[in-house]
Each structure stands twice: as structure tokens, then as C-alpha cells.
Amino acid sequence: MTTLDPTNPFAAPSTLPYGLPDFTAIRTEHYRPALLAGMAAERAEVEAIATDPAEPTVENTLVALERSGHLLHVAATVFYNVASADSTDELAELEEEIAPLLAAHQDAIFLDQRLFARVDALMDQRAELALDADTDYLLTTLHTDFIRAGIRLDEAAQTRLRELNAEITRLETVFGRLLLDETNAAAVLVTDRAELAGLPEDAIAAAAEAATRRGHEGAWLIDLILPTQQPLLAQLQHRGLRERLHTASVTRGGKGGEHDTRATLLALARARAERAQLLGYQHHAAYVVEDATAKTVDAVDGILRPLAPAAVANARTEAAVLEAALRRDVPGATLEAWDWSYYAEQVRKEVRSLDDSLLRPYLELDRVLTEGVFRAAHELYGLSFTERTDLVGYHPDVRVFEVFNADGSGLGLFLGDYWTRDSKRGGAWMNNLVDQSHLLAEKPVVVNNLNIPKPPAGEPTLLTWDEVITMFHEFGHALHGLFSDVRYPSQSGTEVPRDFVEYPSQVNEIWAWEPSILAAYAVHHQTGEPMPQAWIDTLIAARQDGEGFATTEYLAAALLDQAWYRLSPEQVPTDVDEVQRFEAAALAEAGVDFAPVPPRYRTTYFNHVFGSGYSAGYYSYIWSEVLDADTVTWFEENGGLRRENGDRFRSVLLSKGGSVDPMDAFRELRGREPRTEPLLARRGLAV
């Protein structure tokens, strides 16, 4: 398909503010023709560049490539956003069909010898071209991308590489679909209301609403979120129900049946391992990390493995306290993973006189958003937000806000999609719908997705403290996209190495704790009374509580990710029953096999590394946290929540996107290399 029906909404640029896709017009049947036409159009554009008889220049090669593929980019961006946040069987089938076609399309570009010859010629002339810094960086990274894509392989190797790339993208899509279906199917049905003792009324009402939606009128349904730990475990008094809920979480994808993910993830690990060796790398982890800021797996090990002994030691100390509390209720009992959150909360009530269920009425979603997340952005960066009820998102739950700079100029659009639903994949994430670039004269449109249980109509959405932190975190990603101020679309916003992308979002979490911000959003949703200052003081004092657990569950997942992706193709198990055994052995070898603290994600539902872009890169969170913790000390040293600090962080780092080496941007901000001491202090670790 080389042309697109003019009635297709993707056939012409959106006329809505900031190029927001026209979701009132876009329907499922529009995606396939738009994607196919987009691929055909980009192939034609690239062919014209590759066959240009003129000598290669920045304009006729680099800039031309940056301009190419716009239809495909728009259609794919919208499609994958909707497929993640509001999927249907039809969209899932299309995603599985399109994934290998897109992989082949990318291969056709990055394995085109004529095109590479032009880029290579520019690279040879680089010293004489006197390029602007962003263009120079674009040239060097693009040249590297061609090499990492296999441009220097022989014909037979490239043929096999194309096959592997198509299979990998197909398997990623299959894994994501299986996991979504399995997570929905694994929701825990409760028929006896007494088992819900300990839950606040709004949580019980949300569970009843979920049950009714699934055809279980008069019952209660506890939907699962993506990580191992389920939020309601902290409040459920019924130990049997806690065990059922935890078991449902940790067995996802690994117990047989139509949604079992094991065969898919093994095939994916094997294909990635073979591709890495074909490209000349020892394993997939080495291939991934070379293109990140860490550069080597030894550098990754250098931060992950030394933390493990101290983290597990802290977790064991915490476990002893929790087990003592458990035995007061159940004499002689052994602390299990499904007991941890509940007794951590009980101990916190006892030691800190702080009850998470008491906090929730003070953490209403809309107020946290407007008086917390948005207020912090206003104080720090001068931003203001106006809800645009005239603009429509891809689902009725989506809210659209126009974002303005301090001088009143329009910055972009922010879309918030906060409630869980059966059609949305688990977790929390940020997407771009429109990438900022001066070359294409486009301003950013960004989306935040969370998975908060939706209350009955007319009832408030009350948050846990973790959900508050997640809102600030994801908005940090949104700011990275909104503040992008780059020329080239491929360098826009969050187009930075995977182990750097979490850094700005983690920094933004600190403003949830800022006293003036916390006081503004932590207000009782009914009475309007502020959260008692004693509670706030206690909440701040308790920030390091449970760090042994938090660090251990994270490290277990990060080290498990590394274990899977440091295998050769021959080392990847062939029997699905080996998956759990491999996982157990990997955790034991890394020294993080502590039963009461399972990995944040177990293999069979580790969507980050088998269904999305974090394969061999889950270490990125703690790698980025080194930069984050060091940057927080910079804010503290310079007076904290001040416009001067925000403006500098924006100009030096957030606005740069992928137009500079990200570590150079950090060094410009901090004036030196990053230090690990702030991270160790934050997590209460001594290594």
C-alpha cells in the first residue's frame, strides 16, 4: 500500500492544538492502512536519499533522514499508545501482525549499504564540516546505530539478522498480550465480605465495582497490578486471602494454560542471545549496555552486586521485627512473603503511630495532581496548567491539560490517564504522542499512565502514598518530554540512553516530600482539613523504613534480568519447567534469594525485559538513582524548590534530550562526576 485514503484521519496532519491526534475520528480500521502507507512512504523517502546523485551533505542526508517517515511515526505512536492503554482483541492481533513488518522496515533502512555509505562519508569528513554540537552528535550516534544494526555483516549474516529481528518483535508482542490476559484472569474473586476486613470502604467499593464489570454481581474482585507486591496486602487482615492474592501474583504466566508466558520468554531470550553473537557480542547484555551510559557489564556489576549483601542483611533485620509481630497474632508462625506488607504496616502503626489507611483520605487524586504535581512544577519552573475539556483523549478517562510557560507561551499538552481497566497493561509509564522538534515545528504532547483502582461513579479516588510517589515520578518523565528544546526529532525529550531516562523522573519524586507542596495537596477530601503536621513529620521520618525490603526486591529483579541476558543461545533452557529452576539458581548465585522478599518481578511476568524496552536494562533504575540522589543534594545545597534551580535544571539537562552526551549534561549541572554516597545514605546502606 503506497497511498492512504484521504478520509483516513492519518492522511493529513492534525489540525487540533499542538497536533493532538483527533481521537474523535480515529478508529481501529484506520491503523493498518496508515501503518502500511507510512512504511511505504518512508521507504520511498529513504530511497530518494540513498540514490541522490549529489555528494552527501548534512542537509541532503542527515536532515532528510530526520524529515523522513513522519506518517509512519505519527501512526505508530498513536497505535502503540492505544494498544498499551486501551487494547482490544483486534488491536492485539494487529500489533502481532505489524511488529515483524516494522522490524523488517527498520532493517531495510539500517542495512542499506547505499545509505550507510553517505553517512560514512560524512563521518569521514566530520573534522572539516564544522558541525553544530547537536548535528555532530546526531552524526556520530547515527553512524554507530548503523554499525550496531549489522551494516558490516555479510549477506548471509544479514539475512539471519532480519529473521531474528522479526521474530524478536513478534515475541515481545506475544509476551505482552499473554501477560495482560493472564493478569486479568488472575484477579482474585472474593465472595465473603468478611475476608476484606481491614480494607477502607472506598477500596471495598472499588473491588465491588470491578466484580460487577466482570459479571460477578454481589462479589468483590481484586485486580492485580504488574509488580509482585499488591497494594492491598498492606491492609488485608485475613491471612488466607493475603496468601491467595500473593500466590495469584507470583504464579502469573508460569502455571500452564493458554496464557503461560514461559515458552515465549525462552524463545525471546534465545533469539536475543543469537542476535548478540551474530553482531559480535558475547551476549545480549553486553550488546545493550554498550549503547548506554554504563558501557560494560562489569560497570553494571560494580553497582549491583556490592549492594546485595547490605540490602539482604537489612531485609533480614526488618524480617525479624515483622516475624515477632506476626507471632503475636499467630504463635509459632513463620513470616511469609504475603505477610510482609501487612506486618510492615502494623509495625509502622506501632512504632511510628502512622497508618497508611489514615493517610488515604488526605490523598485525593485530583488534589494531588493539581496542588501537588502541578504546583511543584509551577514553583520550580513557572509552569501553569489549564484543563482543556474541549479536547478529547483516546479513552473517556483521559484528561487533557494545556501547559504554559511562565511568560504565558504555550509549551505543549499533557494527558493524564490514571485509572486501571481490563484493556490497559499493568504498571505506570509515560509516552509521547507528539515529539518536540524545531525542524518539524512541533511542540510536545505527552501522556502519563497509571493503574489506580477506579471507584464507583461520584466517589473520590484516594491514593496510597506509593501511588502519590508514582504520580510525581511519571510526571518527571512528562517534564523531560515537555521541556525538550531540540532541533532534530530523533533527539527529542526522553530519547536518551535507557540507563539515563529514569534519572529526571526519579529527581521529580523529591517534590512529593517538599513541606510546602505536601501541605498543599495533603488535605482531607471531605473536611478540607490539612493532614496533621505530626503525621507529616512521621511520614518524613519514616522514609528509610523498609529500605532493606525495597532494595532487595529491586536488586533481585535487576540481577535476574542480567542472568537471563548473559546466556549464550545454547545456554537458554529449552524446557519451560526449567524457567523457575533457572530463576531460583540465579537468585541464589547473586545472594538475593530471601524467600520473604521475592523479586519485584519474577521471570514469567517481567514485562519490562520480555515485553518492552528494558531487556538487560532493568539495572537502569538504580544506575539513574545514583545521578538522582546526587542531584537532590545539589538542589538542597542551592536552596531546594527555587525557580533559579528549576530553570538551571531545565536548561542544562531536561531541555537537551538526546542532543548531547547525557553524562556531559550531568557534569555541566553538577560540576563533577557523580558520587554514590548520596544514594547509599538515602537507602541506609554501607557498602
Side-chain angles (χ1 to χ4, degrees):
M1 181 177 293
T2 57
T3 59
L4 189 58
D5 187 321
T7 63
N8 190 303
F10 292 107
S14 169
T15 59
L16 294 175
Y18 302 92
L20 176 73
D22 187 357
F23 291 110
T24 63
I26 296 169
R27 297 187 301 276
T28 298
E29 61 265 28
H30 294 136
Y31 290 118
R32 189 176 188 276
L35 291 164
L36 294 178
M39 284 186 269
E42 187 171 24
R43 283 196 298 272
E45 291 162 346
V46 168
E47 181 69 17
I49 298 168
T51 58
D52 188 341
E55 289 296 311
T57 65
V58 167
E59 191 64 33
N60 69 21
T61 302
L62 294 186
V63 173
L65 281 171
E66 287 291 307
R67 291 186 182 279
S68 70
H70 194 58
L71 169 59
L72 176 60
H73 179 74
V74 171
T77 297
V78 176
F79 170 68
Y80 279 105
N81 186 88
V82 175
S84 295
D86 192 25
S87 186
T88 63
D89 289 343
E90 193 173 356
L91 287 175
E93 290 170 6
L94 178 58
E95 189 175 5
E96 194 167 338
E97 174 197 349
I98 288 294
L101 299 181
L102 287 173
H105 176 71
Q106 283 297 106
D107 284 340
I109 295 172
F110 282 94
L111 296 179
D112 188 322
Q113 294 289 349
R114 303 164 303 167
L115 192 59
F116 177 65
R118 297 182 71 84
V119 174
D120 201 35
L122 289 175
M123 194 67 178
D124 287 341
Q125 304 165 39
R126 181 180 165 214
E128 294 80 46
L129 291 174
L131 301 175
D132 295 332
D134 57 347
T135 305
D136 182 75
Y137 196 66
L138 175 65
L139 174 59
T140 56
T141 53
L142 181 61
H143 190 266
T144 298
D145 288 344
F146 270 97
I147 295 170
R148 285 173 53 80
I151 190 68
R152 288 178 173 165
L153 297 179
D154 62 31
E155 185 175 346
Q158 286 192 2
T159 298
R160 179 57 182 155
L161 180 64
R162 292 172 193 267
E163 294 170 352
L164 288 168
N165 284 339
E167 180 69 355
I168 286 167
T169 54
R170 185 188 72 82
L171 290 168
E172 289 173 342
T173 301
V174 171
F175 184 92
R177 175 175 54 79
L178 289 172
L179 180 55
L180 176 60
D181 291 344
E182 172 77 336
T183 299
N184 286 335
V188 175
L189 185 66
V190 180
T191 56
D192 182 356
R193 194 183 194 281
E195 291 188 355
L196 299 175
L199 295 189
E201 286 301 319
D202 68 291
I204 294 174
E209 182 86 359
T212 299
R213 286 200 307 269
R214 303 267 196 98
H216 302 290
E217 190 76 38
W220 299 265
L221 193 71
I222 302 176
D223 286 315
L224 301 183
I225 65 168
L226 198 57
T228 295
Q229 288 298 318
Q230 302 299 307
L232 297 189
L233 288 172
Q235 297 165 316
L236 285 168
Q237 296 173 7
H238 194 284
R239 196 180 189 209
L241 180 55
R242 292 204 306 269
E243 181 177 2
R244 282 177 58 204
L245 180 56
H246 177 80
T247 301
S249 176
V250 298
T251 58
R252 280 175 289 171
K255 54 184 183 291
E258 61 179 326
H259 304 144
D260 195 296
T261 62
R262 290 174 294 179
T264 301
L265 71 89
L266 288 176
L268 186 52
R270 193 174 301 110
R272 283 174 169 159
E274 183 183 346
R275 180 178 65 181
Q277 288 197 347
L278 192 64
L279 290 168
Y281 296 86
Q282 183 181 358
H283 40 57
H284 181 66
Y287 171 73
V288 167
V289 78
E290 181 195 60
D291 199 39
T293 63
K295 302 303 181 189
T296 69
V297 293
D298 287 343
V300 173
D301 284 345
I303 191 168
L304 292 182
R305 290 187 177 270
L307 293 176
V312 174
N314 282 9
R316 290 185 184 278
T317 299
E318 293 166 6
V321 175
L322 303 187
E323 188 165 79
L326 166 66
R327 288 178 174 173
R328 289 197 291 270
D329 291 341
V330 187
T334 299
L335 184 74
E336 304 288 353
W338 52 84
D339 295 317
W340 191 291
S341 294
Y342 180 76
Y343 282 97
E345 185 65 18
Q346 299 309 302
V347 168
R348 186 164 74 148
K349 290 180 190 177
E350 180 181 329
V351 175
R352 300 288 190 185
S353 299
L354 190 63
D355 183 344
D356 194 57
S357 64
L358 294 177
L359 300 180
R360 294 180 69 251
Y362 294 85
L363 303 174
E364 189 270 324
L365 188 151
D366 189 63
R367 190 169 184 98
V368 172
L369 177 65
T370 58
E371 296 301 319
V373 173
F374 288 173
R375 179 182 286 267
H378 174 72
E379 296 291 331
L380 199 59
Y381 305 110
L383 301 186
S384 58
F385 303 82
T386 299
E387 187 156 11
R388 294 289 302 266
T389 55
D390 58 316
L391 299 178
V392 176
Y394 50 84
H395 186 277
D397 289 346
V398 178
R399 300 171 66 182
V400 182
F401 297 85
E402 186 169 6
V403 188
F404 298 93
N405 284 305
D407 63 3
S409 60
L411 180 61
L413 294 179
F414 170 74
L415 281 66
D417 184 0
Y418 293 110
W419 287 319
T420 191
R421 50 184 172 266
D422 293 348
S423 60
K424 184 192 283 190
R425 70 173 171 87
W429 68 94
M430 170 267 191
N431 282 340
N432 277 19
L433 283 172
V434 179
D435 297 320
Q436 178 276 330
S437 82
H438 297 303
L439 182 68
L440 303 182
E442 291 184 333
K443 292 186 176 183
V445 178
V446 303
V447 186
N448 273 178
N449 269 276
L450 273 69
N451 268 280
I452 298 166
K454 187 174 184 178
E459 295 296 316
T461 302
L462 305 182
L463 308 182
T464 66
W465 183 250
D466 284 347
E467 287 165 344
V468 171
I469 297 300
T470 300
M471 284 186 69
F472 276 86
H473 176 98
E474 294 305 328
F475 195 71
H477 286 305
L479 289 172
H480 203 179
L482 287 167
F483 285 153
S484 178
D485 188 16
V486 300
R487 185 183 339 185
Y488 301 115
S490 70
Q491 297 177 335
S492 182
T494 55
E495 292 295 327
V496 296
R498 179 60 66 191
D499 58 6
F500 192 85
V501 74
E502 295 297 334
Y503 159 47
S505 57
Q506 288 170 324
V507 169
N508 203 60
E509 293 177 20
I510 66 171
W511 308 120
W513 300 91
E514 177 69 21
S516 63
I517 300 299
L518 207 163
Y521 70 76
V523 173
H524 198 283
H525 72 98
Q526 290 177 321
T527 68
E529 292 295 313
M531 182 182 288
Q533 186 60 45
W535 294 8
I536 294 174
D537 294 341
T538 302
L539 190 63
I540 293 171
R543 286 183 70 173
Q544 278 193 351
D545 290 359
E547 279 296 342
F549 174 92
T551 308
T552 300
E553 68 151 6
Y554 166 76
L555 288 174
L559 289 162
L560 184 59
D561 170 35
Q562 290 293 309
W564 278 111
Y565 288 117
R566 294 191 189 186
L567 299 177
S568 68
E570 299 74 25
Q571 291 172 321
V572 177
T574 56
D575 185 345
V576 296
D577 290 332
E578 289 296 313
V579 170
Q580 284 89 342
R581 286 193 282 271
F582 176 87
E583 176 181 293
L587 296 176
E589 188 278 330
V592 288
D593 55 337
F594 183 39
V597 186
R600 184 176 296 175
Y601 301 96
R602 293 189 64 189
T603 301
T604 54
Y605 52 92
F606 206 162
N607 192 65
H608 284 72
V609 305
F610 292 113
S612 61
Y614 276 80
S615 60
Y618 196 66
Y619 77 89
S620 300
Y621 287 91
I622 203 148
W623 187 273
S624 294
E625 194 179 349
V626 171
L627 308 180
D628 150 38
D630 203 355
T631 300
V632 168
T633 64
W634 174 81
F635 273 106
E636 291 169 348
E637 291 164 1
N638 289 279
L641 190 71
R642 298 172 62 239
R643 273 292 306 280
E644 294 87 345
N645 293 338
D647 288 347
R648 178 158 175 77
F649 191 49
R650 174 179 178 172
S651 65
V652 169
L653 198 138
L654 295 178
S655 67
K656 301 297 185 184
S659 67
V660 299
D661 183 316
M663 291 307 297
D664 286 346
F666 175 86
R667 283 185 284 266
E668 182 178 352
L669 176 77
R670 203 66 181 97
R672 56 167 172 75
E673 296 293 329
R675 295 174 182 165
T676 60
E677 290 82 0
L679 169 65
L680 300 179
R682 171 190 290 181
R683 288 187 172 258
L685 299 176
V687 180

